[in-house]
């Protein structure tokens, strides 16, 4: 048996992480995952700060899913202090959140296609993604890390021209993405590299606690937290799911979720047109404890926090989806015949490492160094 | 000689995330897309420090990365250019009070900085093109002069 280390910097990994694959011949039999490269101690910085400052830190937990983190943060505080936000803000939040979901799924798909050596499709996906990035820039003013949410609403309103633009760009986008999905679905070489590889069966989902698209591809649609969100219920949201549980199913779930998001955005825009009034209310923050969950692009994200009157954060805990999916990765390895498949299976769970690393301890020369002590 | 003449139009880039939020990294991935098409300028992103001319560093340097980053810097062959991307890599940014060392300049020498959180893809490409060819050619010359002096 030999081990192959992958990472911390590797062509298909966007982020630093070390995977040690244990090989028997060419077949991977086990994996050891070494994390801790991007721990920054965000929760610790947040403690004792006002939540208007905290929301910017929550945004930078992860760059790809930055919006959903601010949304969960704001909704958690609104839940604790019982703030009703205006209808307009609710729909605007859904629109931006779904736009970001599209961009996140497309980048996941592009990276997967790069890892199975299908560069053409990856480039197409990156190119249609730019349409979505333009829309996000138009709505919020920045491409990534939008700072669009505030406690009690959103920061900017959209006007008639913007709405027309969104409708127009969405039509354009839908046409292109449908074409790309067809290519992915029918490509024989793509099927060879992705079907029946990295299977996570239904009964093992329970053991690994996998979440998000990974879990829905193995036949568990209830795992989608959007089903329990009031605004999404209003918009008649339907989860996408499959039963095969292999790499192909995971990518197809993402692709179909993109189409579902487009439908949600259109519907939210229709509802938005009928509302009037403000986009933001004055938030009076009351102290207390609370938990709030939302469906991020990779699975459920949980915020548990305790705040004082006036909004100083006492204690905060963030739980992100990738930890559970990385655990599921070890089960998927059983059906990976080669190292190349192990790498593409890794990208198919769409890991986000900067989300994952919430706590660490450092070992140097056999000694544990408490975190927070600066290096000499 | 090789880098001075030919590698001006063929710059190999290695992206190192030293603890950022990923925002800067995906903006670098966006550079690959046909709209920005980084490869048409002769810049090739392939993440292997042993072949790289330019190290693109994103994010504040976390405690775990400090030693590793030095190793990677030493692995990269001379002449090399280090570009710090984003507010975090400049100064530690929003994570200044966290478990980080601070900007990249505290660990290794930095040649160029791109502010922004995250900077736009066009800015990243522009900076690489402005800094890399000249700096690499200049350093190649210096190294050659040094070698000649030693030999004489
Ligand atoms: S500069 Fe901004 S986008 Fe870039 S890594 Fe830092 S927080 Fe993220």
């Amino acid at each position: 048996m030999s081990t192959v280390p992958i990472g911390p910097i590797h062509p298909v990994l966007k982020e630093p992480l070390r995977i040690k694959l244990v090989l028997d011949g060419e077949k991977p039999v086990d994996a050891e995952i070494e994390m801790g490269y991007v721990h920054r101690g965000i929760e610790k910085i947040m403690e004792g700060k006002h939540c208007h400052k905290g929301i910017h830190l929550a945004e930078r937990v992860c760059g790809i899913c930055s919006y959903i983190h601010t949304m969960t943060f704001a909704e958690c505080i609104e839940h604790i202090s019982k703030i009703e936000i205006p209808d307009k803000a609710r729909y605007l939040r859904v629109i931006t959140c779904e736009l970001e979901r599209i961009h996140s799924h497309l980048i996941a798909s592009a990276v997967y296609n790069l890892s199975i050596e299908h560069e053409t499709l990856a480039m197409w996906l990156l190119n249609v993604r730019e349409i979505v990035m333009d829309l996000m820039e138009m709505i919020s003013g920045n491409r990534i890390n939008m700072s669009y949410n505030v406690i009690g609403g959103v920061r900017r309103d959209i006007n008639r021209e913007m709405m027309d633009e969104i409708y127009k760009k969405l039509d354009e986008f839908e046409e292109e993405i449908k074409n790309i999905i067809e290519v992915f679905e029918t490509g024989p070489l793509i099927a060879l590299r992705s079907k029946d590889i990295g299977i996570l069966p239904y009964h093992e989902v329970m053991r690994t606690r996998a979440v998000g698209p990974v879990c829905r591809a193995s036949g568990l649609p209830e795992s989608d937290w959007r089903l329990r969100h009031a605004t999404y219920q209003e918009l008649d949201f339907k989860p996408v799911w499959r039963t095969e549980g292999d790499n192909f199913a995971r990518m197809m779930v993402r692709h179909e979720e993109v189409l579902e998001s487009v439908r949600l955005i259109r519907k939210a825009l229709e509802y938005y047109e009928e509302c009037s009034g403000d986009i933001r209310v004055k938030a009076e923050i009351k102290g207390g404890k609370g938990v709030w969950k939302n469906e991020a692009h990779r699975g459920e994200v949980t915020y548990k926090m305790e705040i004082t009157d006036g909004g100083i954060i006492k204690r905060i805990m963030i739980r992100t989806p990738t930890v559970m999916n990385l655990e599921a990765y070890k089960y998927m390895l059983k059906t990976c015949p080669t190292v190349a498949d192990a790498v593409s299976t890794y990208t198919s769970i769409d890991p986000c490492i900067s989300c994952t690393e919430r706590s660490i301890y450092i070992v140097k020369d056999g000694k544990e160094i408490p975190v927070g002590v600066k290096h000499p | 000689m090789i880098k001075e003449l030919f590698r001006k139009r063929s710059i190999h880039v290695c992206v190192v995330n030293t603890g950022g939020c990923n925002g800067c990294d995906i903006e670098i991935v966006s550079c690959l897309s046909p709209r920005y098409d980084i490869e048409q300028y002769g810049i090739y992103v392939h993440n292997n420090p042993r072949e790289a001319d330019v190290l693109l560093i994103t994010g504040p340097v976390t405690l775990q990365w400090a030693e590793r980053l030095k190793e990677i810097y030493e692995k990269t062959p001379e002449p090399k250019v280090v570009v710090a991307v984003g507010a975090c890599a400049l100064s530690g940014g929003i994570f200044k009070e966290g478990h980080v060392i601070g900007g990249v300049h505290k660990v290794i020498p930095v040649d160029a900085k791109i502010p922004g959180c995250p900077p736009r893809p066009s800015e990243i490409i522009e900076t690489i093109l402005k800094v890399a060819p000249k700096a690499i050619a200049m350093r190649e010359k210096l190294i050659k002069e040094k070698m000649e002096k030693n030999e004489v």
Side-chain angles (χ1 to χ4, degrees):
Chain A
M1 297 240 185
S2 54
T3 47
V4 177
I6 301 176
I9 37 176
H10 185 271
V12 300
L13 309 180
K14 296 193 292 297
E15 294 155 276
L17 170 94
R18 173 167 278 180
I19 313 169
K20 280 185 194 147
L21 284 177
V22 183
L23 298 183
D24 180 10
E26 212 192 340
K27 193 180 176 345
V29 284
D30 198 10
E32 198 180 306
I33 293 168
E34 216 181 278
M35 294 192 294
Y37 289 102
V38 284
H39 171 82
R40 294 145 296 187
I42 290 181
E43 289 93 334
K44 187 74 189 157
I45 312 175
M46 268 194 212
E47 272 169 27
K49 285 214 159 55
H50 194 268
C51 50
H52 285 309
K53 277 186 182 169
I55 198 162
H56 293 293
L57 275 160
E59 185 157 49
R60 282 156 183 82
V61 168
C62 170
I64 308 183
C65 37
S66 60
Y67 186 79
I68 193 88
H69 278 281
T70 55
M71 183 163 149
T72 319
F73 186 96
E75 281 178 353
C76 187
I77 288 179
E78 283 151 16
H79 168 71
I80 293 170
S81 3
K82 302 200 175 52
I83 300 166
E84 277 280 319
I85 65 163
D87 280 347
K88 257 188 170 179
R90 278 197 302 135
Y91 295 127
L92 281 175
R93 274 183 186 178
V94 167
I95 290 166
T96 328
C97 176
E98 291 307 313
L99 279 176
E100 205 195 47
R101 191 180 306 273
I102 294 172
H103 123 71
S104 166
H105 280 349
L106 290 185
I107 213 167
S109 185
V111 172
Y112 177 76
N113 280 310
L114 274 182
S115 76
I116 61 167
E117 316 285 341
H118 200 306
E119 208 168 316
T120 321
L121 212 50
M123 288 304 145
W124 283 356
L125 282 161
L126 282 179
N127 213 27
V128 291
R129 176 173 159 270
E130 290 297 325
I131 300 176
V132 182
M133 303 302 280
D134 283 347
L135 284 183
M136 294 205 298
E137 188 175 9
M138 186 186 69
I139 293 176
S140 67
N142 202 0
R143 287 159 59 94
I144 294 163
N145 289 348
M146 295 177 275
S147 306
Y148 192 52
N149 270 319
V150 282
I151 291 145
V154 292
R155 195 163 48 79
R156 275 168 74 170
D157 203 354
I158 56 176
N159 57 22
R160 188 70 238 176
E161 286 100 67
M162 283 179 177
M163 258 188 318
D164 292 339
E165 181 83 10
I166 295 174
Y167 278 127
K168 206 180 100 214
K169 284 272 172 74
L170 274 184
D171 289 339
E172 202 180 301
F173 172 78
E174 204 177 9
E175 205 183 302
E176 295 217 17
I177 195 72
K178 274 191 176 149
N179 184 12
I180 291 174
I181 293 174
E182 204 189 317
V183 173
F184 188 88
E185 213 172 357
T186 53
L189 288 177
I190 296 172
L192 271 181
R193 282 299 305 268
S194 8
K195 275 191 181 155
D196 292 330
I197 286 173
I199 299 175
L200 180 72
Y202 180 73
H203 57 272
E204 274 175 356
V205 172
M206 300 296 178
R207 213 175 292 158
T208 61
R209 308 278 191 281
V211 287
V214 176
C215 171
R216 289 199 283 285
S218 304
L220 216 88
E222 304 89 329
S223 68
D224 202 323
W225 275 86
R226 283 179 284 176
L227 286 169
R228 304 164 181 86
H229 194 285
T231 321
Y232 281 99
Q233 279 168 358
E234 216 174 289
L235 294 171
D236 199 14
F237 165 73
K238 288 200 184 59
V240 181
W241 61 296
R242 292 196 161 219
T243 49
E244 300 96 324
D246 53 1
N247 284 357
F248 186 77
R250 279 192 281 282
M251 294 331 289
M252 280 314 289
V253 164
R254 292 211 174 89
H255 289 154
E256 279 161 24
E257 271 188 14
V258 166
L259 294 180
E260 174 72 16
S261 297
V262 171
R263 191 188 69 81
L264 280 174
I265 295 168
R266 287 222 182 91
K267 199 156 185 188
L269 269 177
E270 269 168 34
Y271 281 32
Y272 169 84
E273 279 180 55
E274 285 160 19
C275 334
S276 57
D278 274 340
I279 52 162
R280 184 177 175 177
V281 290
K282 195 165 178 302
E284 264 179 44
I285 299 166
K286 298 186 201 80
K289 280 183 199 170
V291 187
W292 194 260
K293 292 184 186 184
N294 259 337
E295 180 74 13
H297 320 317
R298 295 172 178 75
E300 75 175 70
V301 44
T302 311
Y303 270 66
K304 187 174 178 187
M305 49 205 264
E306 191 176 346
I307 50 173
T308 61
D309 284 334
I312 306 287
I313 301 168
K314 262 188 183 165
R315 182 94 184 88
I316 180 160
M317 195 205 85
I318 306 171
R319 183 171 180 261
T320 49
T322 306
V323 193
M324 290 82 92
N325 290 346
L326 279 177
E327 190 59 36
Y329 174 61
K330 290 178 188 165
Y331 287 80
M332 292 171 197
L333 272 183
K334 286 176 196 162
T335 43
C336 290
T338 60
V339 178
D341 288 329
V343 173
S344 69
T345 306
Y346 172 77
T347 52
S348 84
I349 65 171
D350 191 13
C352 175
I353 308 305
S354 53
C355 281
T356 308
E357 307 197 336
R358 304 267 57 93
S359 69
I360 52 154
Y361 60 90
I362 302 175
V363 181
K364 193 183 177 192
D365 307 330
K367 258 193 329 221
E368 261 182 44
I369 304 172
V371 186
V373 178
K374 295 263 171 184
H375 264 283
Chain B
M1 174 70 182
I2 291 176
K3 280 198 174 176
E4 200 178 321
L5 259 179
F6 308 113
R7 295 291 282 276
K8 256 186 198 176
R9 301 290 291 158
S10 120
I11 305 162
H12 284 217
V13 168
C14 172
V15 184
V16 186
N17 177 346
T18 55
C21 81
N22 226 343
C24 290
D25 297 68
I26 50 175
E27 285 297 59
I28 294 168
V29 173
S30 306
C31 291
L32 293 174
S33 76
R35 180 188 284 187
Y36 298 104
D37 200 4
I38 196 167
E39 285 180 11
Q40 90 188 6
Y41 303 104
I43 306 172
Y44 184 53
V45 183
H46 64 152
N47 280 17
N48 185 353
R50 286 185 203 279
E51 293 174 26
D53 303 314
V54 177
L55 284 177
L56 275 187
I57 301 185
T58 68
V61 184
T62 53
L63 302 182
Q64 304 85 285
W65 259 109
E67 311 268 296
R68 294 282 165 99
L69 189 59
K70 265 184 219 153
E71 276 171 28
I72 285 176
Y73 183 73
E74 277 154 21
K75 266 185 204 169
T76 318
E78 282 286 348
K80 58 201 165 194
V81 171
V82 178
V83 180
V85 182
C88 290
L90 253 75
S91 65
I94 194 163
F95 305 119
K96 223 172 9 221
E97 301 153 47
H99 305 153
V100 297
I101 291 182
V104 176
H105 61 93
K106 289 196 181 160
V107 186
I108 53 173
V110 175
D111 296 279
K113 293 173 175 176
I114 314 175
C117 181
R120 301 177 67 84
S122 45
E123 286 169 359
I124 297 174
I125 296 177
E126 199 190 332
T127 314
I128 297 177
L129 284 177
K130 253 186 197 159
V131 176
K134 261 190 213 158
I136 290 173
M138 215 168 70
R139 269 178 220 172
E140 178 101 10
K141 229 188 229 167
L142 280 181
I143 294 169
K144 226 169 32 188
E145 273 169 22
K146 255 188 212 164
M147 269 168 44
E148 271 164 17
K149 265 179 209 159
N150 285 353
E151 277 165 13
V152 168

